[in-house]
Amino acid sequence: MHTWPDAAKANKWGNTPLHDACYSGASSDTISLLVATWPAAAKERNRKENTPLHSACEGRASLDTISLLLGMWPEAIEEKNFYNQLPLHVACIKKASLDVISLLVGNRHDTIKRKDNFDCTPLHEACSCASSIDVISFLLKCCPDAIKEKNRDGETPLHAACRLGYRASLKTISLLLKIWPDASNEKNRNNETPFHIVYRHEGPIEIILLLLDAWLELSGNRNSLRVDSLKPNAPEETRTLLSHVSTLFGDELS
């Protein structure tokens, strides 16, 4: 193995054997042998500018493999690929475990609000890809301000969570609203609040009601004109709900 001539050879996609091993779920022993053969391989990039750590996150590699790669090159946490994604972005997209996410964050909590080419943070990705409530709680605990970051479409992590529609998590949305209630009033570039997003994507009624209740708690929303402003493009059952709510208020701002 120590004289293996192809250890430093990349394929047509620019992947070295270490990239491929990390992506395909090779054992940590195999990863160790590859690194021992060519220590600098941990810093090599493929055509998408992915490091082996990016590839490991994309392939949902084990905690041992992630730990081994970080031991070889701790600064890999800060490295971005062609899409300006950190390994943490990729891990959140792939719904990595809390242990892996914790290792990738380390003491660099600001990585949680770093943005990729689409201005998405790792928290956006975790919310849009239905990461576990434990992962999302951890990210928010480490970097509470990340909840207010907006992507290129002007969407907060709450918008991202609502886009899951019927797969949206009541626990996740409840947590996001608890930390930043005003998120229910934030609008994207299409002038849509999270309430608009969740009903357009056919989210569960309990989440629709949760978002509506949070929205009504905010100053200025408890009047019929504001409630009626939520109706355009809403499905019939949602418009009926809003009509009933609208009758509870006058048209004076409160």
Side-chain angles (χ1 to χ4, degrees), residues 179-199:
I179 293 175
W180 188 32
D182 284 1
S184 64
N185 213 28
E186 291 294 313
K187 294 180 179 180
N188 63 16
R189 290 193 174 183
N190 291 324
N191 212 34
E192 296 172 313
T193 66
F195 179 78
H196 292 97
I197 297 294
V198 79
Y199 74 59

Side-chain angles (χ1 to χ4, degrees), residues 34-49:
L34 285 168
V35 170
T37 302
W38 184 24
K43 297 184 179 182
E44 289 295 309
R45 295 175 180 272
N46 63 17
R47 290 189 177 179
K48 292 183 179 180
E49 294 294 313

